[in-house]
Amino acid sequence: MSILDETCTLANGVEIPRLGLGTWFIDDDKAAEAVRAAVRIGYRNIDTAQAYGNERGVGEGVRTSGVPRDELFVSTKLAAEIKDYDQALAAIDGSLAKLGLDRVDLMLIHSPQPWDDFRGGDYAQGNREAWRALEDAHRAGKIRSIGVSNFQQHDLENILEGASVVPHVNQLLVHAGNTPADLLAYCESKQILVQAYSPIAHGAILKHAEVRAMAEKYGVSVPQLCIRYTLQLGTVSLPKTANPEHMRSNTEVDFQISRDDMDVLRNLHDVDYGEHSAFPVYSGK
């Protein structure tokens, strides 16, 4: 069985494919073809966000993929700046309109803080309001499952205090060199599935000597090793690419990393994101 056939089951019984296509940095006019290419290869899990500016293209790719809508798992994210119930409700409808879909399979709050104040001020009340909007849209059948992204344990606890639905997903930066073990364990204890974005560290890990040597030992590429690592952590892995060759090779992860090598990868900490350190999620906050 290929990784493309494997699924996880969310706490509400919805199945999500274990390998997905991330679409950050894929331009709107290129997104439809990237999605169609991924679906042809066998991907059934497509991830976008309001902030990516490509929901229109992703939706077009989904609708023109030739695969029935109910065979595809489509996720998007509420813009990190929206911390208000009415604005969140309007933005949810805005995403559906842009995507051209009558429902999405998963919608997340993109970040507990607006990007220009990432890991900064107190947005506890705003997050509870945005969450209430997601719960209401979920109840109305517009969203099959709901979750968060970039949420730390205290952010999750804030949501849980007043939630009628426990977040089904927390999408986090997880890769060899950035493994938030305590947060992963907390999410597991609450039946919150973790999705790993940037499993290849936005490309930063490709030059890492120790990781390259380990990939050679297994006879795989560095991206394949890194994707396999996130899968063995129990996460859903979301490598981003618009290149069909990379999409294909990213699915060739039918090997097992030994327990000792998993520990080595888990304990790596020295990944340099280079120019990408300018992005809040790579800034080390």
Side-chain angles (χ1 to χ4, degrees):
M1 186 163 86
S2 154
I3 187 63
L4 292 169
D5 302 315
E6 291 184 25
T7 61
C8 294
T9 304
L10 300 176
N12 64 340
V14 169
E15 285 196 11
I16 178 171
R18 290 196 68 205
L19 186 70
L21 179 77
T23 63
W24 188 27
F25 278 117
I26 299 179
D27 291 341
D28 194 41
D29 61 350
K30 306 215 169 46
E33 187 44 49
V35 169
R36 285 191 292 263
V39 172
R40 277 195 297 273
I41 288 162
Y43 284 80
R44 294 295 180 263
N45 179 354
I46 310 294
D47 178 83
T48 183
Q50 293 174 357
Y52 300 171
N54 62 11
E55 285 180 315
R56 187 211 60 81
V58 166
E60 182 191 325
V62 167
R63 294 191 316 273
T64 59
S65 66
V67 167
R69 170 65 186 95
D70 61 5
E71 289 179 24
L72 298 176
F73 192 98
V74 181
S75 308
T76 191
K77 306 177 196 76
L78 186 65
E81 293 70 30
I82 297 174
K83 303 296 177 201
D84 169 270
Y85 176 82
D86 290 334
Q87 285 183 348
L89 269 190
I92 291 164
D93 287 341
S95 274
L96 291 171
K98 272 209 176 92
L99 287 158
L101 302 174
D102 58 4
R103 63 179 167 80
V104 287
D105 299 284
L106 173 65
M107 194 161 189
L108 312 173
I109 299 175
H110 206 158
S111 164
Q113 301 85 19
W115 294 121
D116 61 6
D117 192 24
F118 189 60
R119 304 288 183 232
D122 180 2
Y123 300 92
Q125 180 59 33
N127 283 320
R128 287 196 292 269
E129 291 204 15
W131 186 250
R132 192 160 56 87
L134 284 179
E135 287 182 329
D136 286 352
H138 176 246
R139 210 172 286 117
K142 296 176 183 180
I143 313 170
R144 292 177 69 219
S145 44
I146 53 178
V148 294
S149 182
N150 298 299
F151 272 50
Q152 308 280 28
Q153 182 172 331
H154 66 271
D155 300 312
L156 287 164
E157 287 168 347
N158 170 57
I159 293 283
L160 292 174
E161 270 172 38
S164 60
V165 179
V166 174
H168 300 121
V169 166
N170 190 8
Q171 190 178 120
L172 297 169
L173 178 65
V174 180
H175 59 75
N178 189 80
T179 308
D182 291 347
L183 185 52
L184 292 175
Y186 176 79
C187 289
E188 189 179 354
S189 77
K190 299 291 181 189
Q191 288 188 287
I192 299 169
L193 179 81
V194 172
Q195 291 182 318
Y197 71 78
S198 298
I200 308 161
H202 210 59
I205 206 156
L206 297 173
K207 302 184 187 77
H208 196 288
E210 198 174 358
V211 176
R212 286 171 70 158
M214 190 184 292
E216 270 176 42
K217 181 176 97 171
Y218 285 94
V220 298
S221 68
V222 169
Q224 286 165 341
L225 180 79
C226 291
I227 291 165
R228 183 72 215 172
Y229 170 69
T230 57
L231 292 168
Q232 283 185 221
L233 286 174
T235 71
V236 164
S237 195
L238 295 172
K240 171 260 151 182
T241 182
N243 180 325
E245 254 171 69
H246 293 169
M247 290 176 194
R248 196 169 277 108
S249 68
N250 287 348
T251 70
E252 293 164 5
V253 290
D254 185 23
F255 62 98
Q256 200 71 18
I257 302 172
S258 73
R259 185 176 297 173
D260 288 349
D261 286 339
M262 283 295 289
D263 287 341
V264 169
L265 295 173
R266 205 179 266 113
N267 292 316
L268 281 182
H269 295 292
D270 52 344
V271 172
D272 176 9
Y273 297 109
E275 61 180 314
H276 303 303
S277 298
F279 289 101
V281 293
Y282 301 126
S283 64
K285 286 184 180 174

